[in-house]
Amino acid sequence: MKIAQIVPLYEAVPPRLYGGTERVVAHLTQALIDLGHEVTLFASADSRTDARLVAMRKQALRLDPAPLKSDLASHLILLQEVRRHADEFDVLHFHIDLLHFPFFEDMAGRTLTTVHGRLDMKDLPEAYRRWNAFPLASISEDQRRPLPFAHWHGTVHHGTDGERFHYHDASDDDYLAFLGRISPEKRPDRAIAIAIRAGLPLRMAAKVDTADREYFEQRIRPLLDHPLIEFLGEINDADKVEFLGNASALLFPIDWPEPFGLAMIEAMACGTPVIAWRCGAVPEVVEQGVSGFIVDSDEQAVAAVHQAQALDRRRVRAAFERRFSSKIMASAYVDLYQRLPAFVGRDPAPAALPPGGPNP
Amino acid sequence: MKIAQIVPLYEAVPPRLYGGTERVVAHLTQALIDLGHEVTLFASADSRTDARLVAMRKQALRLDPAPLKSDLASHLILLQEVRRHADEFDVLHFHIDLLHFPFFEDMAGRTLTTVHGRLDMKDLPEAYRRWNAFPLASISEDQRRPLPFAHWHGTVHHGTDGERFHYHDASDDDYLAFLGRISPEKRPDRAIAIAIRAGLPLRMAAKVDTADREYFEQRIRPLLDHPLIEFLGEINDADKVEFLGNASALLFPIDWPEPFGLAMIEAMACGTPVIAWRCGAVPEVVEQGVSGFIVDSDEQAVAAVHQAQALDRRRVRAAFERRFSSKIMASAYVDLYQRLPAFVGRDPAPAALPPGGPNP
């Protein structure tokens, strides 16, 4: 099929540092190409991809040092470019939540919208009711909970690149990992408390958004003095693989309805078990006693730290390969594309189409 | 004419407390009705207006205590409602910057977009080049500076309601006023320094946004201990009239390209002179030595404080009436409406139209 991937412009594809959505789309795009599809990526110009790139905005927004820039203007320009090229594609796959809804109503049946964020927000129910012609993909079953009536077309769990996040035997170094964003709902404070009670070093690789700067300074920085705790700041992908792969376990003590939690499968890909709070998508991702432990309290988490060290890291990796490789994600998306309203009743589109697109 | 006013949903129309755009639209709407036009207001449901109200969102966004809400979803819903009603109007007057551009291209010639914000931001030039069919109104000549090539259709200075902001003789109480938002570019610190050097009390009526909370706590709060300084927080409209009207002068020591500066004309309406920095729209609003003083330094500001006390407050009010009443603003907008691409070559539309809209 001829597929357009439309990505937010906050981070490059793949992101240089933090950035979940753009990272998932990078893996998806490569896996779709590997499956023989023709993929065009609408993304910031600093993206690196084997797909055809329609380059928007020289640099992704977040790491652009310009103090005054317009997120909205750059995303509207993105939409206009997609619209200008729309006829070239069988499927328009949007990853920008709902900004495109009013603008693509006439072709909603050949769009797929993966919703990447939390959905328990005021104003969303009305919007998803109004624009119910747009088929939606959730990234977990749990994510759908606030909008059960929305036009759900399927759930596709995130996948990641198992070659990049390659298997690691346990390292000599015995430490716990915390990865992501410093914010109250990610509970870095809880990760610190668990590590100290378990008596194991904790390494924290995390970005601090402007919005969370005060929380970081007031609540987290004072905890970083403890000799077991090491704060690394944001790290790049190469460092992340080693960071996750050499850890005894990833701590994921979240306190919000996390729609997926990419760090969990990145750790699993490296053979690193995950100790995660029963929250959001966690029970859909972690297989209890196989790829990690789902816990409800600090006590359980401390116990799980020791149990995790006894897990077979090869089985953790196998659990990843079974469910969370980019190839499995891409195949699931192709299945959704083929079941879009615009294609129902047609022959399944072949992977590589002749010029001119599919026959009606 | 049949006119739709489309307003952001951040504040009610008029706003309960702070809120420039929504306040201007409230005055414009009333003045258009007084001129005999048929006005429909698309605004939050807590708005109060003599126009027909198409009510969006129960409560305006900023004062809605819900922690999770979607600005974007609520504004997209607003646009869909406008679109659904579009045929009922001769003119669609947008006040939401550029969100509507991709969505209303087919009727751009009968829209007018008043740009309310600063325009010196990356991404905007490309957006305003792409959507150059939308006639734009600037709120000062200075505002246009970063986008001289944009489709400027006219400049209309803001106006306000001279009956509500009524003339005040000097009060016995001798104080300076600071009104608006606490943020680095509004220079509340400079206002404090000037008042202290002038030896006059300063009363500050200002909101503190979350984004500016740290600036307020670290840079401004420590200055509030001085016996001459009084911080009032946000005030409502009734209090604002007394607050401005009883002041000897308004200090407006801004340090950014303020596109207009509504507080200046609200003060002038009360007969209160304005002491403002030469920045943004200031030289277009303040008449040197008549309605106030334009200054370039703290020294000049301190001198101006004493000169301002000698100004004739009736002449300040007269300067307001000559240029900044809501009626003058509304007439200027009607003139722009009649010169929109959709109407050029037609007879000027009468104030009150027969059912069915203007004749072609």
Side-chain angles (χ1 to χ4, degrees):
Chain A
M1 302 178 98
K2 296 189 179 183
I3 303 161
Q5 296 291 339
I6 301 113
V7 194
L9 303 175
Y10 296 108
E11 308 286 348
V13 176
R16 287 214 301 121
L17 300 165
Y18 185 87
T21 302
E22 296 86 347
R23 176 160 283 121
V24 168
V25 176
H27 295 317
L28 171 61
T29 296
Q30 188 57 52
L32 287 170
I33 291 171
D34 294 344
L35 288 173
H37 295 280
E38 226 176 277
V39 186
T40 299
L41 185 64
F42 292 82
S44 70
D46 49 353
S47 298
R48 298 179 311 283
T49 181
D50 290 343
R52 170 182 164 219
L53 177 66
V54 179
M56 311 302 311
R57 209 181 193 282
K58 263 190 200 138
Q59 195 185 355
L61 285 157
R62 188 172 67 94
L63 299 180
D64 178 343
L68 297 170
K69 46 201 172 187
S70 170
D71 293 6
L72 180 61
S74 51
H75 284 94
L76 293 181
I77 292 167
L78 167 73
L79 289 185
Q80 205 203 33
E81 279 304 297
V82 174
R83 185 111 207 152
R84 216 160 62 82
H85 288 273
D87 289 346
E88 302 166 22
F89 307 108
D90 303 309
V91 175
L92 304 172
H93 189 169
F94 288 96
H95 299 269
I96 54 168
D97 292 332
L98 43 66
L99 183 61
H100 56 298
F101 283 178
F103 198 25
F104 286 84
E105 283 186 294
D106 56 334
M107 53 183 90
R110 63 183 175 98
T111 69
L112 181 67
T113 298
T114 294
V115 184
H116 286 265
R118 68 191 295 171
L119 297 177
D120 55 338
M121 299 169 80
K122 223 167 154 170
D123 307 296
L124 293 187
E126 192 179 338
Y128 282 94
R129 274 187 219 280
R130 279 174 183 250
W131 284 285
N132 61 6
F134 287 87
L136 306 174
S138 47
I139 59 177
S140 65
E141 292 295 319
D142 189 78
Q143 185 195 26
R144 297 182 179 193
R145 223 184 310 183
L147 305 175
F149 53 79
H151 183 183
W152 297 112
H153 187 63
T155 289
V156 181
H157 287 136
H158 284 340
T160 193
D161 178 355
E163 283 181 38
R164 181 178 300 230
F165 288 89
H166 55 273
Y167 176 72
H168 286 62
D169 272 322
S171 70
D172 306 330
D173 224 8
D174 217 16
Y175 67 89
L176 302 170
F178 177 92
L179 176 68
R181 195 159 45 82
I182 296 292
S183 73
E185 71 268 19
K186 297 279 189 176
R187 293 302 300 267
D189 58 324
R190 201 183 249 168
I192 292 168
I194 293 165
I196 291 173
R197 285 183 56 178
L200 276 177
L202 175 70
R203 298 192 188 158
M204 308 179 77
K207 81 158 173 171
V208 184
D209 280 338
T210 314
D212 297 313
R213 176 61 52 190
E214 195 174 334
Y215 169 73
F216 176 71
E217 295 298 339
Q218 295 190 356
R219 308 287 302 277
I220 302 305
R221 197 190 281 286
L223 307 176
L224 301 181
D225 284 340
H226 194 284
L228 284 174
I229 311 300
E230 186 181 358
F231 187 78
L232 307 170
E234 273 192 87
I235 59 176
N236 64 26
D237 265 24
D239 290 340
K240 195 163 85 171
V241 176
E242 296 313 306
F243 171 75
L244 286 172
N246 293 326
S248 333
L250 173 73
L251 294 185
F252 202 72
I254 51 165
D255 202 3
W256 73 299
E258 175 92 48
F260 186 79
L262 196 55
M264 293 192 286
I265 64 166
E266 290 174 341
M268 287 164 59
C270 301
T272 303
V274 178
I275 297 167
W277 238 251
R278 190 184 308 282
C279 223
V282 162
E284 294 173 53
V285 177
V286 176
E287 289 171 72
Q288 182 80 345
V290 177
S291 53
F293 296 93
I294 303 165
V295 301
D296 296 289
S297 67
D298 281 28
E299 292 67 36
Q300 288 179 18
V302 173
V305 164
H306 301 297
Q307 293 172 284
Q309 290 171 308
L311 284 186
D312 180 350
R313 293 179 67 98
R314 295 202 169 275
R315 286 190 68 207
V316 177
R317 168 75 190 194
F320 162 78
E321 279 169 9
R322 208 167 56 241
R323 300 177 59 211
F324 299 118
S325 73
S326 351
K327 188 175 174 181
I328 281 172
M329 166 172 64
S331 304
Y333 272 122
V334 170
D335 180 55
L336 292 194
Y337 299 155
Q338 287 170 342
R339 293 193 291 104
L340 284 174
F343 307 121
V344 167
R346 292 193 195 178
D347 290 335
L353 284 167
N359 297 318
Chain B
M1 303 179 96
K2 295 188 178 183
I3 303 161
Q5 296 291 338
I6 302 113
V7 195
L9 303 174
Y10 296 108
E11 309 286 348
V13 177
R16 287 214 301 122
L17 300 165
Y18 185 89
T21 302
E22 296 86 347
R23 176 161 282 120
V24 168
V25 175
H27 296 318
L28 171 60
T29 296
Q30 188 57 53
L32 287 170
I33 292 170
D34 294 345
L35 289 173
H37 296 279
E38 227 175 278
V39 186
T40 299
L41 185 65
F42 291 83
S44 69
D46 49 353
S47 298
R48 298 179 311 282
T49 181
D50 289 344
R52 169 183 165 219
L53 177 66
V54 180
M56 312 301 311
R57 209 181 192 282
K58 263 191 200 135
Q59 194 185 356
L61 284 157
R62 188 172 68 93
L63 298 180
D64 177 343
L68 297 170
K69 45 200 172 187
S70 170
D71 293 6
L72 180 60
S74 51
H75 284 94
L76 293 181
I77 291 166
L78 167 72
L79 288 185
Q80 205 203 32
E81 279 305 297
V82 174
R83 186 115 204 150
R84 215 159 63 81
H85 289 273
D87 289 346
E88 302 166 23
F89 308 108
D90 302 310
V91 174
L92 304 172
H93 189 169
F94 288 95
H95 300 269
I96 55 168
D97 291 334
L98 44 65
L99 183 61
H100 55 298
F101 283 178
F103 198 25
F104 286 84
E105 283 186 294
D106 56 334
M107 53 183 89
R110 63 183 175 98
T111 69
L112 181 68
T113 298
T114 295
V115 184
H116 286 264
R118 68 190 296 171
L119 297 177
D120 55 339
M121 299 170 78
K122 223 168 154 171
D123 307 296
L124 293 187
E126 191 179 339
Y128 282 93
R129 275 189 217 281
R130 280 175 183 249
W131 284 285
N132 61 5
F134 287 87
L136 307 173
S138 47
I139 59 177
S140 65
E141 292 295 318
D142 189 77
Q143 185 194 28
R144 297 182 179 192
R145 223 185 308 184
L147 305 175
F149 53 80
H151 183 182
W152 297 112
H153 186 65
T155 290
V156 181
H157 287 136
H158 284 339
T160 192
D161 178 356
E163 284 182 36
R164 181 178 300 231
F165 288 88
H166 55 273
Y167 176 72
H168 287 62
D169 272 324
S171 70
D172 307 330
D173 224 8
D174 217 14
Y175 65 91
L176 303 169
F178 177 92
L179 176 68
R181 194 160 42 84
I182 295 293
S183 73
E185 71 268 19
K186 296 279 190 176
R187 295 301 300 267
D189 56 326
R190 202 183 248 169
I192 292 168
I194 293 165
I196 292 173
R197 285 182 58 178
L200 276 176
L202 175 70
R203 299 194 188 156
M204 309 178 76
K207 80 158 173 171
V208 184
D209 280 337
T210 315
D212 297 314
R213 175 64 50 191
E214 195 175 333
Y215 170 73
F216 176 71
E217 294 298 339
Q218 295 190 356
R219 308 287 302 277
I220 303 305
R221 196 189 282 286
L223 307 175
L224 301 180
D225 284 340
H226 194 283
L228 284 174
I229 311 300
E230 186 182 357
F231 187 79
L232 307 170
E234 274 190 88
I235 59 175
N236 64 27
D237 264 25
D239 290 341
K240 195 162 83 172
V241 176
E242 296 314 307
F243 171 75
L244 286 173
N246 292 326
S248 332
L250 173 73
L251 294 185
F252 203 70
I254 50 165
D255 201 4
W256 73 298
E258 176 93 47
F260 186 78
L262 195 55
M264 293 192 286
I265 64 167
E266 290 174 341
M268 286 163 60
C270 300
T272 302
V274 178
I275 296 167
W277 238 251
R278 189 184 309 281
C279 223
V282 162
E284 294 173 55
V285 177
V286 177
E287 289 171 73
Q288 183 80 342
V290 178
S291 53
F293 296 93
I294 303 165
V295 300
D296 296 287
S297 67
D298 281 28
E299 291 67 36
Q300 288 179 16
V302 172
V305 163
H306 300 297
Q307 293 173 285
Q309 290 172 309
L311 285 186
D312 180 349
R313 293 179 65 98
R314 295 203 170 274
R315 285 189 68 206
V316 177
R317 168 76 189 193
F320 161 79
E321 279 169 10
R322 209 168 54 240
R323 299 176 59 210
F324 299 118
S325 73
S326 350
K327 188 176 172 180
I328 282 172
M329 166 173 64
S331 304
Y333 272 122
V334 171
D335 181 54
L336 292 193
Y337 300 155
Q338 286 170 343
R339 293 194 291 104
L340 285 174
F343 307 119
V344 167
R346 294 192 196 179
D347 289 335
L353 284 165
N359 297 318

